[in-house]
Amino acid sequence: MDIKTVHKAKCHCGTVVLELTMPNGLEDPRRCSCSMCRKRGAIAASILLENLKIIEGEENLTLYQFNTMTAKHYFCKTCGIYTHHQRRSNPHQFAINVACLEGINPYDLEPVKIYDGIHHPSDTINL
């Protein structure tokens, strides 16, 4: 798998194009068991906020938030593909949809670890 230091990612229709700076390759590739990720099924990898640039189609992204309204999930309005989200567990990072990376087959990463998003640490009340 050839992950470039600067890699492009696109939605299915190509309207949304991201430029990702990934000096350490794919960081923390995973799936999550929360209600959103479980239905989406995407493999996500982490990237610092400043390492993601939207180079085309920003106006075509739509935002979806739920539950605590902390995470920000972005989708292409035209094809519906999830491209990235600002993480709830680490708001200084985006999670990117590995399947959107140009020239990368996400199935080459299998097996991928699964995070327990049902029992998120931010949902725990400390008494």
Side-chain angles (χ1 to χ4, degrees), residues 8-90:
K8 280 194 179 172
K10 293 183 179 181
C11 64
H12 186 259
C13 69
T15 302
V16 176
V17 181
L18 309 175
E19 182 180 88
L20 311 169
T21 301
M22 301 185 296
N24 301 316
L26 283 182
E27 292 191 39
D28 195 23
R30 67 208 175 268
R31 285 194 164 98
C32 174
S33 66
C34 79
S35 61
M36 177 69 170
C37 293
R38 193 169 56 243
K39 291 179 184 280
R40 177 171 58 211
I43 298 172
S46 297
I47 187 169
L48 294 174
L49 294 181
E50 60 267 20
N51 288 343
L52 183 149
K53 293 180 185 166
I54 302 167
I55 56 176
E56 289 180 38
E58 184 169 7
E59 69 287 347
N60 212 55
L61 284 171
T62 191
L63 172 66
Y64 177 70
Q65 292 180 280
F66 67 100
N67 194 17
T68 64
M69 307 299 280
T70 306
K72 298 176 182 177
H73 302 264
Y74 295 95
F75 298 82
C76 173
K77 289 180 189 177
T78 303
C79 64
I81 293 297
Y82 150 72
T83 55
H84 65 291
H85 73 275
Q86 188 171 4
R87 298 182 63 198
R88 175 181 176 196
S89 57
N90 185 343

Side-chain angles (χ1 to χ4, degrees), residues 5 41 112:
T5 302
V112 175

